[in-house]
Amino acid sequence: MVIFGASGDLTTRKLLPALYNLRRSKLLPEDFAILGVAVDQMSEDDFRNKVRHDIREYAGAPQDCTQCDWLAERVYYMTGDFRDNATYTHLKDLLAELDQKHSTKGNYLYYLATAPAFFGEIPSRLGANGLTSEADGHWRRVVIEKPFGSDLDSARALNRDLGKSLTEKQIYRIDHYLGKETVQNILVFRFSNGIFEPVWNRRYIDHVEVTVAEELGVERRGGYYDHAGALRDMIPNHILQLVTLTAMEPPISFQADAVRDEQSKILHAIQIMPPEEVLTRAVRGQYGPGTIDGKPEPGYREEPLVNPQSNTETFVALKLSIDNWRWADVPFYVRTGKRMAKRVTEIAIQFRRAPFVLFRDTPVERLMPNLLVLHIQPDEGISLRFGAKIPGPIVRVGSVNMDFEYVDYFGSQPSTGYERLLYDCMVGDATLFQRADMVEAGWSVVGPVQDVWRALPARSFPNYDSGSWGPKEADDLMKRDGRAWRKID
Ligand code: BG6
């Protein structure tokens, strides 16, 4: 495994700890080596020490020195400028040596944990140096992090560039949301249980809400974030993944393309907003100062590396429509934001109300509709709300919850969320990775919103307090349809 950007944050916090966890789970082969490449001057010993340090800090598991040593013995480092061809000739020689030493048979997984500016260049230079060719029966794969482009045109251009040195099967576009157990569980929940699928459609479901709320602000990423904003950062990737898994038809198998074909159909069925509807179906917000957990927090414009007059959005809410038979007229409301009241990711499926009420003392509008919530993080689980009789001589209906919490049944496993994804790239299972057409369809969905927002800069920023649930306009978005966001405690 060759990690480009080996001295960066992603390698430190996720990749090295995840590799260690894979080893602990006996999922790394004996014939394995890691080669870190970065522009920083570092000796191989320094890099090995860093590996030990990162594992200690971020693997989330008690240290097993034997496994840590095992990994450290297989770690190599080379300094190199990604734009300099000499880096790739040196890399080629080094890989040939490592093939001999570790019997890695010419199978290379390249992980681009770099700035997006290198996503096109590195594969092209690898290709030019014969490092992507699978001609001799070995495999060569490239993992690309997000952001994959910054709009439809740039994503298309990147796909085209990658296609010059790689086949689609060699490209693994990663979305770390698909590494989360509970996200993978959406498919198992839907397709391994007989009772939900018959009601999973417009006849029974009123609407769906997807919330990805973070307490954190932009931390040290102001430089990137101020150019990206919440729409690009979260919607075409993570949020649309959650939408597709919730909305897709049952695939004919769990083969990579069978699953991805169904996801792709949903992405193509999401109605592209006409520009004149963007202002009513898309809401943007930016956080001002506020308090979270009793602690005062600065506004976005006061964050490091952020332009003090910035008009970048840190909150987005959208009303999406999926134009197919299953979902016609069932809105999918999605929202995501930074510095919100609570860190929570969930998908709430609200069913239609009972059609008429048999209980004289309860008007039908007071009956709470059934609600199924898939809790993705931090408290992973599933809950179902239904009506039950409140004890007493008068028949009154109250709401109760049936709760399943992962941790009660399965305990908690130390995980960075990257283990499964890294494993899948190594065994060549692309199910949880984005195909070119999916990425492009995702950008097509957000394109009109990008265009309208660019043309009409926000005038009311900041428009929500840190520690709140976002701007008032997001509530209005649902209120106009006679609905309200689910209250999350
Ligand atoms: C990243 C975004 O892709 O996902 C970040 O760039 C965001 O801005 C993060 O904070 C959220 O991931 P998670 O796993 O913490 O929900």
Side-chain angles (χ1 to χ4, degrees), residues 433-471:
F433 295 83
Q434 305 300 294
R435 259 183 351 209
D437 59 312
M438 296 166 74
V439 172
E440 291 177 13
W443 282 115
S444 304
V445 171
V446 298
V449 183
Q450 286 182 295
D451 294 344
V452 172
W453 284 0
R454 199 178 308 116
L456 301 172
R459 275 178 290 162
S460 58
F461 282 179
N463 60 352
Y464 71 99
D465 292 343
S466 286
S468 70
W469 281 105

Short mmCIF file of all heavy atoms in Angstrom, two decimals, residues 433-471:
data_model
loop_
_atom_site.label_atom_id
_atom_site.label_comp_id
_atom_site.label_asym_id
_atom_site.label_seq_id
_atom_site.Cartn_x
_atom_site.Cartn_y
_atom_site.Cartn_z
N PHE A 433 -17.95 1.96 -2.81
CA PHE A 433 -17.22 3.09 -3.42
C PHE A 433 -18.04 3.69 -4.56
O PHE A 433 -18.85 3.00 -5.18
CB PHE A 433 -15.85 2.61 -3.91
CG PHE A 433 -14.98 2.18 -2.75
CD1 PHE A 433 -15.09 0.91 -2.21
CD2 PHE A 433 -14.10 3.07 -2.16
CE1 PHE A 433 -14.33 0.52 -1.13
CE2 PHE A 433 -13.34 2.69 -1.07
CZ PHE A 433 -13.45 1.41 -0.55
N GLN A 434 -17.77 4.96 -4.80
CA GLN A 434 -18.56 5.69 -5.78
C GLN A 434 -18.07 5.46 -7.21
O GLN A 434 -16.88 5.60 -7.47
CB GLN A 434 -18.42 7.20 -5.52
CG GLN A 434 -18.79 7.60 -4.12
CD GLN A 434 -20.21 7.23 -3.86
OE1 GLN A 434 -21.12 7.77 -4.46
NE2 GLN A 434 -20.40 6.24 -3.01
N ARG A 435 -19.01 5.15 -8.08
CA ARG A 435 -18.66 5.06 -9.49
C ARG A 435 -18.68 6.44 -10.11
O ARG A 435 -19.32 7.35 -9.57
CB ARG A 435 -19.70 4.19 -10.20
CG ARG A 435 -19.26 2.81 -10.44
CD ARG A 435 -20.27 2.00 -11.21
NE ARG A 435 -21.56 2.58 -11.42
CZ ARG A 435 -22.69 1.86 -11.55
NH1 ARG A 435 -22.63 0.56 -11.47
NH2 ARG A 435 -23.84 2.45 -11.76
N ALA A 436 -18.03 6.58 -11.26
CA ALA A 436 -17.97 7.89 -11.93
C ALA A 436 -19.37 8.47 -12.13
O ALA A 436 -19.63 9.64 -11.84
CB ALA A 436 -17.27 7.74 -13.27
N ASP A 437 -20.30 7.64 -12.60
CA ASP A 437 -21.64 8.17 -12.90
C ASP A 437 -22.35 8.65 -11.64
O ASP A 437 -23.12 9.60 -11.68
CB ASP A 437 -22.50 7.10 -13.62
CG ASP A 437 -22.66 5.84 -12.79
OD1 ASP A 437 -21.65 5.33 -12.28
OD2 ASP A 437 -23.80 5.37 -12.61
N MET A 438 -22.06 8.00 -10.50
CA MET A 438 -22.73 8.40 -9.26
C MET A 438 -22.25 9.77 -8.78
O MET A 438 -23.01 10.62 -8.35
CB MET A 438 -22.49 7.35 -8.17
CG MET A 438 -23.09 6.01 -8.50
SD MET A 438 -22.46 4.71 -7.42
CE MET A 438 -23.30 5.09 -5.91
N VAL A 439 -20.92 9.94 -8.88
CA VAL A 439 -20.36 11.22 -8.45
C VAL A 439 -20.92 12.34 -9.31
O VAL A 439 -21.34 13.39 -8.81
CB VAL A 439 -18.81 11.18 -8.57
CG1 VAL A 439 -18.22 12.53 -8.32
CG2 VAL A 439 -18.23 10.17 -7.62
N GLU A 440 -21.00 12.09 -10.60
CA GLU A 440 -21.51 13.13 -11.50
C GLU A 440 -22.99 13.42 -11.23
O GLU A 440 -23.42 14.57 -11.22
CB GLU A 440 -21.25 12.74 -12.96
CG GLU A 440 -19.77 12.75 -13.27
CD GLU A 440 -19.41 12.31 -14.68
OE1 GLU A 440 -20.32 12.21 -15.54
OE2 GLU A 440 -18.21 12.06 -14.93
N ALA A 441 -23.75 12.35 -10.97
CA ALA A 441 -25.18 12.57 -10.69
C ALA A 441 -25.35 13.37 -9.40
O ALA A 441 -26.22 14.23 -9.29
CB ALA A 441 -25.90 11.22 -10.58
N GLY A 442 -24.49 13.12 -8.41
CA GLY A 442 -24.55 13.87 -7.14
C GLY A 442 -24.31 15.35 -7.38
O GLY A 442 -25.04 16.21 -6.87
N TRP A 443 -23.33 15.65 -8.21
CA TRP A 443 -23.05 17.06 -8.51
C TRP A 443 -24.19 17.69 -9.31
O TRP A 443 -24.49 18.88 -9.15
CB TRP A 443 -21.73 17.23 -9.26
CG TRP A 443 -20.53 17.13 -8.36
CD1 TRP A 443 -19.57 16.15 -8.38
CD2 TRP A 443 -20.17 18.01 -7.29
NE1 TRP A 443 -18.63 16.39 -7.40
CE2 TRP A 443 -18.97 17.52 -6.71
CE3 TRP A 443 -20.73 19.17 -6.75
CZ2 TRP A 443 -18.33 18.14 -5.64
CZ3 TRP A 443 -20.10 19.79 -5.67
CH2 TRP A 443 -18.91 19.27 -5.14
N SER A 444 -24.84 16.89 -10.15
CA SER A 444 -25.96 17.45 -10.92
C SER A 444 -27.08 17.90 -9.99
O SER A 444 -27.77 18.88 -10.27
CB SER A 444 -26.56 16.42 -11.88
OG SER A 444 -25.58 15.93 -12.72
N VAL A 445 -27.27 17.16 -8.88
CA VAL A 445 -28.34 17.52 -7.95
C VAL A 445 -28.06 18.87 -7.30
O VAL A 445 -28.95 19.70 -7.16
CB VAL A 445 -28.50 16.43 -6.86
CG1 VAL A 445 -29.44 16.87 -5.76
CG2 VAL A 445 -28.98 15.12 -7.48
N VAL A 446 -26.81 19.11 -6.91
CA VAL A 446 -26.53 20.36 -6.21
C VAL A 446 -26.20 21.52 -7.15
O VAL A 446 -26.19 22.68 -6.73
CB VAL A 446 -25.39 20.22 -5.16
CG1 VAL A 446 -25.77 19.24 -4.09
CG2 VAL A 446 -24.08 19.86 -5.79
N GLY A 447 -25.98 21.21 -8.43
CA GLY A 447 -25.57 22.25 -9.39
C GLY A 447 -26.45 23.50 -9.38
O GLY A 447 -25.94 24.62 -9.23
N PRO A 448 -27.77 23.35 -9.55
CA PRO A 448 -28.61 24.57 -9.60
C PRO A 448 -28.52 25.38 -8.30
O PRO A 448 -28.59 26.62 -8.34
CB PRO A 448 -30.03 24.02 -9.77
CG PRO A 448 -29.88 22.62 -10.22
CD PRO A 448 -28.55 22.13 -9.77
N VAL A 449 -28.35 24.71 -7.19
CA VAL A 449 -28.25 25.44 -5.92
C VAL A 449 -26.93 26.22 -5.90
O VAL A 449 -26.90 27.41 -5.55
CB VAL A 449 -28.33 24.47 -4.70
CG1 VAL A 449 -28.31 25.24 -3.41
CG2 VAL A 449 -29.57 23.58 -4.80
N GLN A 450 -25.87 25.57 -6.32
CA GLN A 450 -24.58 26.28 -6.41
C GLN A 450 -24.71 27.52 -7.28
O GLN A 450 -24.26 28.60 -6.91
CB GLN A 450 -23.50 25.36 -7.03
CG GLN A 450 -23.00 24.26 -6.11
CD GLN A 450 -21.90 23.45 -6.81
OE1 GLN A 450 -22.13 22.78 -7.80
NE2 GLN A 450 -20.69 23.52 -6.29
N ASP A 451 -25.36 27.34 -8.44
CA ASP A 451 -25.45 28.46 -9.40
C ASP A 451 -26.24 29.63 -8.81
O ASP A 451 -25.81 30.79 -8.88
CB ASP A 451 -26.14 28.01 -10.69
CG ASP A 451 -25.30 27.00 -11.44
OD1 ASP A 451 -24.09 26.89 -11.13
OD2 ASP A 451 -25.85 26.31 -12.32
N VAL A 452 -27.40 29.31 -8.23
CA VAL A 452 -28.25 30.40 -7.73
C VAL A 452 -27.59 31.07 -6.53
O VAL A 452 -27.57 32.30 -6.42
CB VAL A 452 -29.66 29.86 -7.36
CG1 VAL A 452 -30.48 30.92 -6.65
CG2 VAL A 452 -30.38 29.39 -8.62
N TRP A 453 -27.00 30.30 -5.66
CA TRP A 453 -26.35 30.91 -4.48
C TRP A 453 -25.15 31.77 -4.87
O TRP A 453 -24.88 32.80 -4.27
CB TRP A 453 -25.93 29.82 -3.49
CG TRP A 453 -27.10 29.26 -2.72
CD1 TRP A 453 -28.41 29.63 -2.84
CD2 TRP A 453 -27.06 28.25 -1.71
NE1 TRP A 453 -29.18 28.91 -1.97
CE2 TRP A 453 -28.39 28.05 -1.26
CE3 TRP A 453 -26.04 27.48 -1.15
CZ2 TRP A 453 -28.72 27.12 -0.27
CZ3 TRP A 453 -26.37 26.56 -0.16
CH2 TRP A 453 -27.69 26.37 0.27
N ARG A 454 -24.46 31.31 -5.91
CA ARG A 454 -23.30 32.10 -6.36
C ARG A 454 -23.81 33.44 -6.92
O ARG A 454 -23.26 34.50 -6.65
CB ARG A 454 -22.52 31.33 -7.41
CG ARG A 454 -21.10 31.85 -7.60
CD ARG A 454 -20.31 31.03 -8.62
NE ARG A 454 -20.29 29.61 -8.38
CZ ARG A 454 -20.82 28.71 -9.22
NH1 ARG A 454 -21.42 29.08 -10.34
NH2 ARG A 454 -20.75 27.42 -8.94
N ALA A 455 -24.90 33.37 -7.67
CA ALA A 455 -25.42 34.60 -8.30
C ALA A 455 -26.04 35.55 -7.28
O ALA A 455 -26.04 36.76 -7.48
CB ALA A 455 -26.44 34.22 -9.37
N LEU A 456 -26.59 34.99 -6.20
CA LEU A 456 -27.26 35.83 -5.20
C LEU A 456 -26.62 35.60 -3.83
O LEU A 456 -27.11 34.77 -3.05
CB LEU A 456 -28.75 35.45 -5.10
CG LEU A 456 -29.60 35.57 -6.37
CD1 LEU A 456 -30.97 34.97 -6.15
CD2 LEU A 456 -29.71 37.04 -6.74
N PRO A 457 -25.53 36.29 -3.54
CA PRO A 457 -24.85 36.03 -2.25
C PRO A 457 -25.81 36.27 -1.07
O PRO A 457 -26.68 37.14 -1.13
CB PRO A 457 -23.71 37.05 -2.24
CG PRO A 457 -23.53 37.47 -3.65
CD PRO A 457 -24.86 37.31 -4.33
N ALA A 458 -25.62 35.48 -0.02
CA ALA A 458 -26.50 35.59 1.15
C ALA A 458 -26.36 36.98 1.75
O ALA A 458 -25.27 37.55 1.79
CB ALA A 458 -26.10 34.54 2.17
N ARG A 459 -27.50 37.53 2.21
CA ARG A 459 -27.43 38.88 2.79
C ARG A 459 -27.62 38.89 4.29
O ARG A 459 -27.39 39.88 4.94
CB ARG A 459 -28.45 39.79 2.10
CG ARG A 459 -27.87 40.37 0.82
CD ARG A 459 -28.85 41.23 0.11
NE ARG A 459 -29.93 40.41 -0.47
CZ ARG A 459 -31.10 40.89 -0.84
NH1 ARG A 459 -31.35 42.17 -0.71
NH2 ARG A 459 -32.01 40.10 -1.35
N SER A 460 -28.03 37.74 4.84
CA SER A 460 -28.40 37.77 6.26
C SER A 460 -27.42 37.02 7.16
O SER A 460 -27.73 36.72 8.30
CB SER A 460 -29.79 37.15 6.43
OG SER A 460 -29.74 35.83 5.93
N PHE A 461 -26.24 36.68 6.63
CA PHE A 461 -25.29 35.90 7.44
C PHE A 461 -24.63 36.79 8.49
O PHE A 461 -24.38 37.96 8.19
CB PHE A 461 -24.18 35.32 6.56
CG PHE A 461 -24.59 34.09 5.78
CD1 PHE A 461 -23.69 33.47 4.91
CD2 PHE A 461 -25.85 33.55 5.92
CE1 PHE A 461 -24.04 32.35 4.20
CE2 PHE A 461 -26.21 32.41 5.20
CZ PHE A 461 -25.30 31.82 4.34
N PRO A 462 -24.31 36.33 9.69
CA PRO A 462 -24.67 35.03 10.24
C PRO A 462 -26.15 35.00 10.60
O PRO A 462 -26.69 36.01 11.05
CB PRO A 462 -23.80 34.90 11.50
CG PRO A 462 -23.47 36.30 11.88
CD PRO A 462 -23.48 37.11 10.63
N ASN A 463 -26.79 33.83 10.41
CA ASN A 463 -28.23 33.78 10.65
C ASN A 463 -28.66 32.67 11.61
O ASN A 463 -29.83 32.38 11.72
CB ASN A 463 -29.02 33.69 9.33
CG ASN A 463 -28.64 32.45 8.55
OD1 ASN A 463 -27.70 31.75 8.92
ND2 ASN A 463 -29.35 32.18 7.48
N TYR A 464 -27.68 32.00 12.22
CA TYR A 464 -28.06 31.12 13.34
C TYR A 464 -26.99 31.14 14.41
O TYR A 464 -25.81 31.36 14.10
CB TYR A 464 -28.40 29.69 12.88
CG TYR A 464 -27.23 28.81 12.41
CD1 TYR A 464 -26.65 27.86 13.25
CD2 TYR A 464 -26.75 28.90 11.10
CE1 TYR A 464 -25.61 27.03 12.80
CE2 TYR A 464 -25.72 28.07 10.65
CZ TYR A 464 -25.17 27.13 11.50
OH TYR A 464 -24.16 26.32 11.06
N ASP A 465 -27.41 30.94 15.63
CA ASP A 465 -26.46 30.97 16.74
C ASP A 465 -25.76 29.62 16.86
O ASP A 465 -26.40 28.58 16.68
CB ASP A 465 -27.19 31.20 18.07
CG ASP A 465 -27.78 32.59 18.15
OD1 ASP A 465 -27.35 33.47 17.35
OD2 ASP A 465 -28.66 32.80 19.01
N SER A 466 -24.49 29.65 17.21
CA SER A 466 -23.83 28.40 17.56
C SER A 466 -24.65 27.75 18.66
O SER A 466 -25.11 28.43 19.58
CB SER A 466 -22.43 28.67 18.10
OG SER A 466 -21.58 29.03 17.05
N GLY A 467 -24.82 26.44 18.57
CA GLY A 467 -25.57 25.74 19.61
C GLY A 467 -27.07 25.68 19.35
O GLY A 467 -27.82 25.20 20.19
N SER A 468 -27.51 26.17 18.16
CA SER A 468 -28.95 26.10 17.84
C SER A 468 -29.16 25.01 16.79
O SER A 468 -28.23 24.31 16.39
CB SER A 468 -29.44 27.44 17.34
OG SER A 468 -28.90 27.69 16.05
N TRP A 469 -30.40 24.90 16.29
CA TRP A 469 -30.69 23.90 15.25
C TRP A 469 -30.72 24.51 13.86
O TRP A 469 -31.36 24.00 12.96
CB TRP A 469 -32.00 23.17 15.57
CG TRP A 469 -31.78 22.12 16.62
CD1 TRP A 469 -32.14 22.19 17.93
CD2 TRP A 469 -31.09 20.86 16.45
NE1 TRP A 469 -31.72 21.05 18.60
CE2 TRP A 469 -31.09 20.22 17.71
CE3 TRP A 469 -30.48 20.22 15.38
CZ2 TRP A 469 -30.50 18.98 17.93
CZ3 TRP A 469 -29.89 18.97 15.60
CH2 TRP A 469 -29.90 18.37 16.84
N GLY A 470 -30.04 25.65 13.70
CA GLY A 470 -29.96 26.23 12.36
C GLY A 470 -30.88 27.43 12.21
O GLY A 470 -31.58 27.81 13.14
N PRO A 471 -30.89 28.04 11.02
CA PRO A 471 -31.66 29.27 10.83
C PRO A 471 -33.16 29.01 10.81
O PRO A 471 -33.61 27.91 10.49
CB PRO A 471 -31.19 29.77 9.46
CG PRO A 471 -30.65 28.58 8.76
CD PRO A 471 -30.14 27.64 9.82
#
